[in-house]
Amino acid sequence: MSPGDFRNHLIPADAERLRDARGLDPWTYAEPIRQSDKATGLIDHWQRLYAEPFKGITTDGHLLEGRYALADEGFDVAGAARAAQQVVAALTEGELARVRHSVDAAEWRDWYNPEWPMNAHGLRLDEVSPEVREAVGGLLRACFSDDGYVKTRQVRSANLYLGELYDLRNIMNEWSYHFLMFGEPSETEPWGWNLYGHHLALNCLVIGPQIVVSPTFMGAEPTTVDRGEGDSFELFRREALTGIELMRSLPAEQRRLATAYRQMKDPAMPDGRWHFADERTLGGAYQDNRVVPYEGVRARDLTSVQQEQLLRVVESFVGFLPERPLRARMRQIESALDDTWWSWIGPDDGVQPFYYRVQSPVVMVEFDNHQGVWLTNTEPARFHVHTVVRTPNGNDYGKDLLRQHYAAAHPAHADRGREAPGERTGTDGRPPAPAHGHDAHLHTGEPNHPA
């Protein structure tokens, strides 16, 4: 399986789009993009979604209660708390004031995916000291498995690679991400952090020996990084292969039932099923309350071997969790297997671009091949991937567990489990940036995505 040669679709080095962006800081670079009609329309739409009280992704608008419980899942909370305190110690007083938020702050939900800044929350890690960046890296290492830490580092490295290809490292680099902390690092009380920017958004809540990392957004364009001298890797290969393996294992009739649409942009799709910013992905940024009906085939109608394959698909997405929390999460996912659905869009030959989704009451993962944003392909390609992990029925951002924690441990403050109002404009003297935005399909003059 080859994702194809992305180099055939590179933007010419002397293109106006690249030439005009070189040397600009990210905030200045973003200004004309934000002012385009296409961007302002998208921003307004997502702003309305962000203003809604959090509910969670559902299949019909109604939450399924009782799906999550506080438990000792073996997370090394002491190590994570120490790592978080090291971040705090590395920050100046002014930086700490910008990073710190209440554990129920609305800003937690204001993450985005483009390379151009859409808000001014927290700190941009490309604007802080190496000591702060090193401490943030230590926090990621403390909250993820070794493989998960490497994967997130490679996503950031792929962002830098794109900056290297076009001499735009001022805009796209391994630290061009916002970082926020929520609550106070503790071994007993809830706290967390998020990191977001181009092709990477991570939201992490810690409650004692339990951790929720959701929603997540990881992507890359291109997915293959080859700097030579041993610095080469391909992102999302496991997600692609496990998905193809499962789909190809189904008999013809089940493949037909699993296929929601034969074409990646199918004329049969209803309005809104394909969106220029998300393409086929349903659980991206600002989709915290989206209604996503089940599609495809039900896992209980699969063979035991195929059910194991489906679980391997899901584990390829959530394997960033440390070993013991991962096992707890997979037990939770397996317990809902009878009500888990597998769906597919596009050809199923294992060669052409495709989309798939696994969805149950406790997990939703998506894999989608996209058309070019920083490459010139006008159709989806295997070398541009977006992946999403969601925790439906109210536990994205660990919100259901947070509610349970305050109800059990602090009954007088049970409302703390609900979202607090958040600041909606730019900070630290930056020009106010829109609070909402999404994929970078809004570039002025971009082929196939005119502003």
Side-chain angles (χ1 to χ4, degrees):
M1 181 199 79
S2 171
D5 191 350
F6 72 87
R7 293 171 186 83
N8 295 329
H9 302 278
L10 288 170
I11 299 170
D14 60 350
E16 181 180 5
R17 174 184 173 190
L18 305 182
R19 190 174 63 247
D20 289 351
R22 292 188 181 118
L24 298 181
D25 68 77
W27 309 93
T28 305
Y29 163 74
E31 288 176 5
I33 301 172
R34 292 203 313 257
Q35 293 166 7
S36 70
D37 290 342
K38 198 170 187 179
T40 56
L42 181 63
I43 287 163
D44 289 345
H45 173 59
W46 261 289
Q47 186 169 13
R48 289 191 295 272
L49 294 179
Y50 177 45
E52 295 175 355
F54 176 84
K55 181 176 184 177
I57 284 180
T58 64
T59 59
D60 60 4
H62 297 91
L63 289 173
L64 297 177
E65 305 287 352
R67 292 291 176 165
Y68 308 101
L70 295 166
D72 182 348
E73 294 181 349
F75 176 62
D76 180 11
V77 61
R82 284 194 302 271
Q85 290 289 3
Q86 289 172 355
V87 175
V88 171
L91 297 170
T92 67
E93 185 175 339
E95 289 170 340
L96 184 58
R98 290 168 58 190
V99 162
R100 182 174 279 163
H101 295 75
S102 67
V103 75
D104 49 0
E107 286 87 347
W108 213 329
R109 293 174 53 209
D110 206 8
W111 56 272
Y112 62 76
N113 173 49
E115 85 291 345
W116 45 289
M118 303 300 295
N119 61 47
H121 300 321
L123 293 174
R124 286 273 301 194
L125 293 177
D126 52 1
E127 299 178 341
V128 299
S129 70
E131 291 76 18
V132 173
R133 291 196 288 266
E134 183 178 354
V136 170
L139 178 58
L140 269 64
R141 189 182 292 274
C143 292
F144 294 149
S145 65
D146 290 345
D147 287 347
Y149 174 75
V150 169
K151 184 176 184 178
T152 59
R153 187 182 65 192
Q154 287 181 338
V155 171
R156 293 188 291 110
S157 180
N159 190 50
L160 170 62
Y161 186 59
L162 193 54
E164 293 167 344
L165 287 171
Y166 291 132
D167 191 21
L168 290 176
R169 283 166 285 189
N170 53 312
I171 295 168
M172 293 178 288
N173 58 74
E174 61 183 335
W175 294 109
S176 52
Y177 300 92
H178 296 255
F179 176 73
L180 288 75
M181 299 182 73
F182 301 91
E184 298 295 327
S186 167
E187 294 187 28
T188 56
E189 291 299 307
W191 60 278
W193 55 270
N194 76 356
L195 181 149
Y196 60 90
H198 191 216
H199 277 149
L200 182 65
L202 306 167
N203 294 280
C204 176
L205 177 77
V206 176
I207 303 183
Q210 195 168 13
I211 184 172
V212 176
V213 183
S214 177
T216 71
F217 183 112
M218 298 190 206
E221 182 195 23
T223 53
T224 301
V225 172
D226 185 3
R227 295 186 177 93
E229 299 181 357
D231 189 7
S232 302
F233 56 86
E234 181 184 339
L235 283 159
F236 311 114
R237 180 176 175 82
R238 184 182 174 200
E239 291 91 329
L241 287 176
T242 55
I244 290 169
E245 178 186 44
L246 174 57
M247 188 63 175
R248 299 286 291 169
S249 76
L250 302 179
E253 178 60 16
Q254 282 190 318
R255 286 205 306 274
R256 185 188 68 78
L257 292 172
T259 303
Y261 302 98
R262 291 297 304 173
Q263 300 179 49
M264 293 290 273
K265 190 176 180 182
D266 201 300
M269 290 176 173
D271 289 345
R273 183 60 188 86
W274 185 95
H275 189 274
F276 74 89
D278 286 308
E279 299 203 11
R280 286 145 296 276
T281 305
L282 300 174
Y286 306 104
Q287 300 299 332
D288 294 327
N289 298 330
R290 189 161 192 162
V291 174
V292 183
Y294 291 136
E295 292 179 307
V297 295
R298 210 166 188 167
R300 70 183 182 194
D301 296 325
L302 304 179
T303 67
S304 59
V305 171
Q306 290 164 342
Q307 289 174 352
E308 288 297 322
Q309 290 175 320
L310 185 145
L311 292 173
R312 285 196 294 273
V313 171
V314 177
E315 188 165 355
S316 72
F317 285 78
V318 300
F320 49 68
L321 291 170
E323 179 62 24
R324 292 182 65 186
L326 174 60
R327 299 275 66 84
R329 181 72 167 125
M330 290 306 299
R331 287 193 297 271
Q332 181 186 67
I333 292 165
E334 188 171 4
S335 72
L337 200 55
D338 277 355
D339 203 18
T340 298
W341 293 73
W342 164 258
S343 60
W344 184 275
I345 294 175
D348 59 17
D349 59 7
V351 176
Q352 298 181 74
F354 58 91
Y355 161 96
Y356 70 73
R357 182 171 80 253
V358 179
Q359 184 179 355
S360 84
V362 295
V363 73
M364 186 173 86
V365 303
E366 295 180 278
F367 180 103
D368 196 16
N369 288 128
H370 279 223
Q371 61 195 71
V373 175
W374 284 99
L375 298 170
T376 61
N377 54 293
T378 58
E379 296 295 329
R382 293 289 295 275
F383 46 71
H384 187 180
V385 169
H386 286 190
T387 69
V388 169
V389 177
R390 285 283 187 169
T391 308
N393 292 301
N395 207 38
D396 272 334
Y397 314 94
K399 283 185 176 290
D400 192 52
L401 294 184
L402 187 62
R403 176 190 60 79
Q404 293 180 50
H405 169 84
Y406 280 107
H410 309 283
H413 302 284
D415 283 347
R416 285 292 310 278
R418 297 177 182 171
E419 185 176 289
E423 181 60 43
R424 309 263 175 176
T425 59
T427 57
D428 190 40
R430 298 291 187 190
H436 303 83
H438 209 58
D439 196 289
H441 289 182
L442 299 167
H443 296 285
T444 303
E446 179 188 342
N448 201 47
H449 293 291

